[in-house]
Amino acid sequence: MTGAVLYSVTAWSPDGKTGYQIGAKFQNGREVSNFIYNLTTSKQENITNGTVAADKEVSTCYPLAKLAGLGDTFVWSGTLSVDGRDVDRCPNGDPQATFPNV
């Protein structure tokens, strides 16, 4: 995919007190940014984790220790943005889902 592409997941603790956006950004198919943004403190941490985007899939890992306060069950949504415009979200277009899906 060409242009600026951001794959992101936003997750909130069940009580809504802790939230994160985690994402990987690509420019013309090359990874240019990977981050964890703490929505509670408004601080971003850039990380290097070797995100791979290939065959219509994105694969990446984030250290759980960087997601303190999220808990074992949380609400999440995923978004795909191209050139600053949201073009898709998941799961199934729903604005949010619970993890694990219980």
Side-chain angles (χ1 to χ4, degrees):
M1 190 175 286
T2 61
V5 179
L6 173 63
Y7 301 92
S8 65
V9 172
T10 303
W12 286 95
S13 61
D15 63 8
K17 293 181 179 179
T18 304
Y20 296 94
Q21 181 186 49
I22 56 176
K25 185 174 185 179
F26 292 79
Q27 182 69 44
N28 296 324
R30 234 183 75 230
E31 182 183 359
V32 294
S33 175
N34 208 314
F35 62 88
I36 297 174
Y37 181 77
N38 187 318
L39 296 165
T40 309
T41 64
S42 299
K43 293 188 179 182
Q44 178 171 314
E45 181 176 353
N46 296 318
I47 60 173
T48 302
N49 60 4
T51 299
V52 176
D55 300 323
K56 299 182 182 180
E57 290 185 18
V58 178
S59 178
T60 190
C61 296
Y62 294 92
L64 291 176
K66 302 286 185 184
L67 304 174
L70 200 56
D72 292 335
T73 302
F74 53 87
V75 177
W76 70 278
S77 63
T79 305
L80 170 63
S81 302
V82 178
D83 292 328
R85 187 174 54 110
D86 292 350
V87 297
D88 202 2
R89 66 180 184 189
C90 67
N92 301 321
D94 295 332
Q96 60 183 13
T98 301
F99 178 87
N101 190 7
V102 291

